[in-house]
Amino acid sequence: MRKLLNTVYVTNEMAYLTLDGENLVCKIDGEVKLRIPFENIENIVCFNYIGCSPALMGKCVGKTIPINFISPQGKFLAKVCGETKGNVFLRVAQIDRFREAGLALAQNTMAAKFSNSRQLLRRTLHDNPELREDPEIQKTLEILSEGVSRVYEAGSVEEVVGVEGYCAQSYFSVFHKLITNKKVPFTFELRTKRPPLDPINAALSFVYTLATSEFAAALETVGLDSYIGYCHTLRSGRASLACDLVEEARCLAERFVITLFNLQILRESDFEKQISGAVWLNDEGRKKLLSRWQEKKRTDMLHPYLKQKIPFGLLPYVQSNLLAKYVRGDLESYPPFLLK
């Protein structure tokens, strides 16, 4: 169990939450592991199987502290809460704030995305000296750096999206060079989405989908509407705000996919090609990827804004919490995720 930004995250799947007076108590195998006063809690997010006691749920309802249940795989399951006293106003504030500051939010998000993409490329250059003088990679680094400046010169969200499209095209033109293991039998020429036309695109699309669903679940836990975004246009059935926030973390998904191929964890036998030309992960390939993704989510990372170590899997929840605090006016600006 971990407390971040007045939210308690229960990440141990065998933890059980119960009530002791004015304290939240976390037990594992009947042994008390942590005790937190309710005065220090705004929200509870559970990734555990066992759940919590009815007495605790009643106490949280009385104190308007929501308890969110998320599957260990990151899927939102349910929320226990009392009379709605804050979420309605938070969602109205969300619409007002996005109308007022949508351009600034889009600029910061895309600038963070370009910076994070640069960091991913520079890490590859650090690990592979033979690529350090590659003219195409150097040109892409320049374009991404210029992109950071250009988004802040943009006068509309549409202009920001245009800059993002140009930078993404350059970035994916050199993406194949990040697959440095010569034994990988796949080629990557350009980013194809609907449908993916090669195994690398198939893996990227699958991980992007996982990350987006986890951001959507995280937004639900803080009371924001994941369908109302500031950068992606509104579209029926699309979690536009989750799509916005995942832009900052795409570099992590991409690094994960690169590692799967460079270590040959994913092989040719893990994919199947359709008559239409589409390439998808087969059952075995999905099992491999999901297993590694769950392992990745348990690893620790240093959050650049909080200056605290957090499990990788909690990043969507921390960023959603920060955005909610900005919408409520508790923060002057939303701090996007920025690799250091």
Side-chain angles (χ1 to χ4, degrees), residues 90-159:
L90 179 62
R91 295 192 183 198
V92 171
Q94 174 184 348
I95 295 171
D96 291 342
R97 184 57 68 97
F98 288 0
R99 284 175 175 167
E100 168 195 328
L103 175 58
L105 283 165
Q107 289 170 326
N108 289 340
T109 290
M110 291 306 171
K113 177 182 180 178
F114 302 156
S115 176
N116 292 341
S117 296
R118 276 178 52 85
Q119 288 294 92
L120 190 154
L121 289 174
R122 291 172 66 183
R123 175 175 170 177
T124 299
L125 297 184
H126 179 271
D127 296 340
N128 300 273
E130 69 277 7
L131 293 176
R132 291 176 188 172
E133 303 303 322
D134 186 290
E136 293 179 337
I137 293 180
Q138 291 300 324
K139 179 63 175 176
T140 296
L141 287 170
E142 292 176 12
I143 289 173
L144 289 170
S145 182
E146 292 168 2
V148 174
S149 301
R150 288 179 60 194
V151 292
Y152 287 112
E153 297 169 359
S156 67
V157 172
E158 289 73 22
E159 287 183 49

Side-chain angles (χ1 to χ4, degrees), residues 79-323:
K79 175 186 287 190
V80 176
C81 56
E83 179 183 356
T84 301
K85 296 182 179 179
N87 285 1
V88 170
F89 299 105
L90 179 62
R91 295 192 183 198
V92 171
Q94 174 184 348
I95 295 171
D96 291 342
R97 184 57 68 97
F98 288 0
R99 284 175 175 167
E100 168 195 328
L103 175 58
L105 283 165
Q107 289 170 326
N108 289 340
T109 290
M110 291 306 171
K113 177 182 180 178
F114 302 156
S115 176
N116 292 341
S117 296
R118 276 178 52 85
Q119 288 294 92
L120 190 154
L121 289 174
R122 291 172 66 183
R123 175 175 170 177
T124 299
L125 297 184
H126 179 271
D127 296 340
N128 300 273
E130 69 277 7
L131 293 176
R132 291 176 188 172
E133 303 303 322
D134 186 290
E136 293 179 337
I137 293 180
Q138 291 300 324
K139 179 63 175 176
T140 296
L141 287 170
E142 292 176 12
I143 289 173
L144 289 170
S145 182
E146 292 168 2
V148 174
S149 301
R150 288 179 60 194
V151 292
Y152 287 112
E153 297 169 359
S156 67
V157 172
E158 289 73 22
E159 287 183 49
V160 172
V161 172
V163 174
E164 189 275 337
Y166 177 66
C167 289
Q169 183 179 31
S170 177
Y171 173 70
F172 282 115
S173 72
V174 300
F175 194 80
H176 65 284
K177 299 187 179 188
L178 308 185
I179 309 295
T180 55
N181 188 335
K182 305 304 180 184
K183 295 180 180 179
V184 175
F186 309 126
T187 58
F188 179 96
E189 295 181 5
L190 72 162
R191 178 76 178 111
T192 55
K193 307 175 185 178
R194 302 178 185 88
L197 299 177
D198 60 70
I200 296 173
N201 270 299
L204 282 171
S205 292
F206 191 77
V207 178
Y208 288 155
T209 299
L210 290 176
T212 303
S213 67
E214 288 168 7
F215 270 97
L219 289 164
E220 180 68 33
T221 68
V222 298
L224 292 174
D225 191 330
S226 65
Y227 291 86
I228 302 174
Y230 52 81
C231 189
H232 286 79
T233 56
L234 299 182
R235 182 186 299 171
S236 179
R238 180 172 73 179
S240 294
L241 185 54
C243 292
D244 291 341
L245 293 189
V246 85
E247 294 290 351
E248 305 163 11
R250 279 184 184 268
C251 59
L252 301 177
E254 290 151 5
R255 169 54 60 184
F256 174 74
V257 169
I258 289 168
T259 300
L260 291 181
F261 285 107
N262 279 336
L263 296 182
Q264 291 192 287
I265 295 167
L266 288 180
R267 299 175 177 272
E268 196 167 5
S269 59
D270 295 317
F271 299 87
E272 56 185 38
K273 188 170 184 178
Q274 307 294 316
I275 296 176
S276 63
V279 176
W280 305 104
L281 283 154
N282 58 28
D283 288 344
E284 187 60 32
R286 284 193 295 272
K287 288 177 185 177
K288 282 185 183 180
L289 191 150
L290 288 170
S291 175
R292 296 285 177 161
W293 183 247
Q294 287 302 105
E295 290 177 11
K296 177 69 175 175
K297 285 164 63 176
R298 295 187 186 100
T299 61
D300 283 345
M301 61 181 293
L302 180 66
H303 192 277
Y305 179 78
L306 298 183
K307 308 298 182 185
Q308 290 179 250
K309 282 189 175 182
I310 65 168
F312 177 91
L314 289 189
L315 179 63
Y317 295 85
V318 173
Q319 292 305 125
S320 297
N321 207 331
L322 290 170
L323 181 60

